Structure formats: C-alpha cells, structure tokens
Amino acid sequence: MAGHHPIFAPSAFPALVHCRHFRNSGAESANATRGTIQHELLAKLLTGQPIPDDVDTNDLACVEWAVNNINTVTSAENRLVEAGLMLLDDDWQEITFGTADVVSMVPRANGDTLVVADYKSGNYKDYKPQLHVYARMAMQRYGVNRCECRILFGMDRRYEMFVVNYNETDYIIDIINKINAGQLGEEKANEFCCYCMYQSTCPQTQAIVTAVAKADGYDITGLVDWSIDNATPEKLSQMYTAATWLEKFAERIKEGVKQKIKDGTEVPGYRFVSITRRSITDIPAAFQASGLTQEEFLDACTVSAAKLEKKMGKTNFGANMASLVHESISEQLKRTSYEKSS
C-alpha cells in the first residue's frame, strides 16, 4: 500500500465514498474562514484559555453550545483537544493523518468508552465517513474495537451520535486500495462536488448543469468541456455568459428557499441566523463618551470618501483631498457587442 497521500485526508472521505475521483480543491472561502475561527474558539474554551474580546457573538454562541454538549460526555481530565491521529495499514505503516477536535477515553460503569467528537460550523451534511476515519485512527491508537462518535453542528444546534466497530470501518481501507490501484469507477454527483477541483470539467456536473439550463430555456449543450486552459476566445465568451446565467439561476433558487423558510417551512440543514452589525450614528457624542484623546478616537474611525465628496463638492474635494484618498480597484467584466471571427 502506498504511504501517506494527501487525497486520503479524513475530510475527503464524505465525498470519496460517493466518488473516488474527488480531489479537494483547497480553495479558501468565507465559510472556511468562519470554520477556522470557530474551531480556534472551541479549542480555547475546551482548554480553559481566554478568548478574544472582539469575538463575534454568533460564533461564540455556536461554539458554546458545542462545548456544553462535549462536557456532558467528557471532562478536561480525560480528553485530548485537537488530537493528532494516524491511520495505519496492516503493516503499521502510516497511510494518512488527521486532527480530531476531541478524543477521550471516558470512564463508565461498564468500562472505559472511546469517544471521538468533531465540530462543524456549517449546515448539515453527511460527515459520518470522516468520523469513521477518525474512529479507526483512535481505535488503532488505544487498542479498542468500539468507538462512540459525535458530530456537532453549531449553526443548527444539533448533533449526531453513533457507535462504530473497528471492522465496520474496513470500507475506508477498501476505498484507499482501489484509488491506489487506479480503480476510480465512474464519476458520481454528490453534495460535496462543490469542493472538488474537477467540478468544472466533471461529466456528471456538466450533465446536471446542462439539464437545469435546458429546463430554464437556456441551451448550453455546446459547452461539453468546461475546461478553461485550452478554450478558444469564442468558447471563453460562451462559458462566461453561461456562468453568469447559472449565478442568476442559483440566486433565484436561494431566494425562493429563503422565502419558504420565512413563511414557516422547515428546511433540514438551514435556518435564519440574526447577525448584529453595530455602527455609531452620533460621532461627537461618541467622542465625548469614549474618554479617548482626539488622536485615539480618530484612529478608530473611517471616513466615507463618497459622502465627504458629496458634502464638499466634487471640485473642492478633488483639489484638497486627492492626496489623502486611498483607492482600491475591483475588476469586473462588462458585456460588450461581440462578432465571431470568420
């Protein structure tokens, strides 16, 4: 069996059980950033470390719920937080490794019980295969054949608890062996396709997109291959137009689902979360109440260039403020007339 391979990261297995072609794109996103922040909070709260003063209240509420749940089954004395684990083959050679949020041998009346818990900051998905990998790793480490698993969904305030035996995780090794042998099988669409580096070129994804577009009256059957690298200028234009349509289509779907939830429909894995954004409306009063020096107060403030220009007038603003304005440029494509070259 091959040694450590990054495609065998525990987080990849929820997708690999459906499609052995899956490879994590590694792309950063706002959701991934929020997940990192919440996992850092989780580790701090579980180990008694101080948390930042400026922590987002929603992030903190999600994580505190998870900590309370974890504290019902483990204690600081018997748990490892951010536990590094290894997956070993039959010859005790490392295949891959991972980090579980919590691993604990919990003393109970009928003997010690191995518990593995993992926190999720996003909406519900089937992450059981990831926990099965962690469980197999932990069972190898502690020499036991049974593991109690918990998946904690902070946003939804729900958790899954299940027990897995060692031989029930043998399918993990079977997947690894088949991938190493090049036995990938057919591509299969699943809920984790959006994280795959092959999403834009996958025939299953293309077939789904084409069918959805056709149902909405948009024909993109000519875009059989969505690969950008070798596309002609004409095809790049087609692809961008199609992608723009798909964006609008997706927004219509999302807005429709949001309205259903607002109207009282319970949609599994999704709920509205109130996000509080604070602003100061009376600047002079805030300065007086702050107790700060003028320099300290101004250091905490930002000025809207557009609003200041409106107050001063464009000519006056340009003459007196040009050297003080920092400009950041964002680029976007604008639709133009296009003639196909002969």
Side-chain angles (χ1 to χ4, degrees), residues 228-260:
I228 291 175
D229 292 341
N230 300 316
T232 63
E234 290 83 2
K235 190 170 183 180
L236 288 172
S237 177
Q238 287 180 311
M239 292 168 70
Y240 196 85
T241 300
T244 301
W245 168 83
L246 288 168
E247 259 182 343
K248 292 178 180 178
F249 176 84
E251 283 303 315
R252 291 204 308 273
I253 296 297
K254 289 194 289 185
E255 288 304 316
V257 173
K258 286 179 184 177
Q259 189 58 52
K260 284 289 188 181

Side-chain angles (χ1 to χ4, degrees), residues 102-173:
V102 173
V103 175
S104 179
M105 286 297 288
V106 179
R108 290 178 179 168
N110 57 349
D112 291 352
T113 299
L114 177 62
V115 174
V116 172
D118 203 59
Y119 177 78
K120 300 298 178 186
S121 59
N123 296 115
Y124 174 82
K125 287 184 174 66
D126 185 5
Y127 291 106
K128 290 187 187 71
Q130 181 179 355
L131 269 291
H132 286 168
V133 179
Y134 287 145
R136 189 178 181 95
M137 291 173 164
M139 285 187 281
Q140 287 180 336
R141 176 170 176 169
Y142 289 95
V144 297
N145 292 308
R146 182 179 180 277
C147 182
E148 181 181 301
C149 301
R150 285 184 177 236
I151 311 175
L152 305 144
F153 297 92
M155 181 182 294
D156 295 333
R157 307 294 199 275
R158 61 176 285 190
Y159 73 96
E160 288 185 309
M161 193 278 284
F162 53 91
V163 174
V164 63
N165 295 318
Y166 189 81
N167 59 3
E168 292 176 314
T169 65
D170 287 346
Y171 77 93
I172 299 294
I173 303 302

